[in-house]
Amino acid sequence: MWARVARFESDPGNVDAAIEEARSFAASGNVPPELAGAKMLMLVDRQSGGRLVVAMFDTEEAMRKGDAAMNAGQPRNAGRRSSVEFYEVAGEIAL
């Protein structure tokens, strides 16, 4: 499994709008085929407005295609994307 981690900085007042926009996008049926099957987590810091969006893919190739699709557009409430990093997911541990 592979993960794309994007960091966003925005006004703390926009956090709820960003969450709602992401949920609406996922439910819209207009998700690009390159993102089909991806799993996403959004981690938020309500005090600073910072967010991490972690998109997980089954293969590195799928992650690269998903990255291209996500780079093609930016949601209204995303804020400023300050970084994007890529990781291999070495394991998932349930405690």
Side-chain angles (χ1 to χ4, degrees):
M1 184 170 283
W2 292 82
R4 175 192 187 267
V5 180
R7 178 180 299 275
F8 293 88
E9 310 297 335
S10 70
D11 184 294
N14 290 341
V15 169
D16 287 327
I19 293 168
E20 182 54 36
E21 187 172 13
R23 287 180 177 155
S24 295
F25 174 72
S28 72
N30 294 324
V31 176
E34 296 86 359
L35 299 178
K39 296 176 186 170
M40 294 202 172
L41 298 171
M42 183 187 294
L43 310 176
V44 300
D45 179 335
R46 291 184 179 277
Q47 289 186 328
S48 73
R51 290 189 316 285
L52 292 176
V53 178
V54 181
M56 293 179 287
F57 300 87
D58 289 333
T59 66
E60 183 177 12
E61 179 182 0
M63 179 186 64
R64 299 291 178 193
K65 289 179 181 179
D67 174 58
M70 287 184 272
N71 287 337
Q74 181 150 334
R76 288 187 304 277
N77 296 300
R80 184 181 70 83
R81 186 174 66 191
S82 57
S83 68
V84 176
E85 298 178 308
F86 305 97
Y87 298 91
E88 181 180 0
V89 178
E92 180 178 334
I93 301 167
L95 303 175

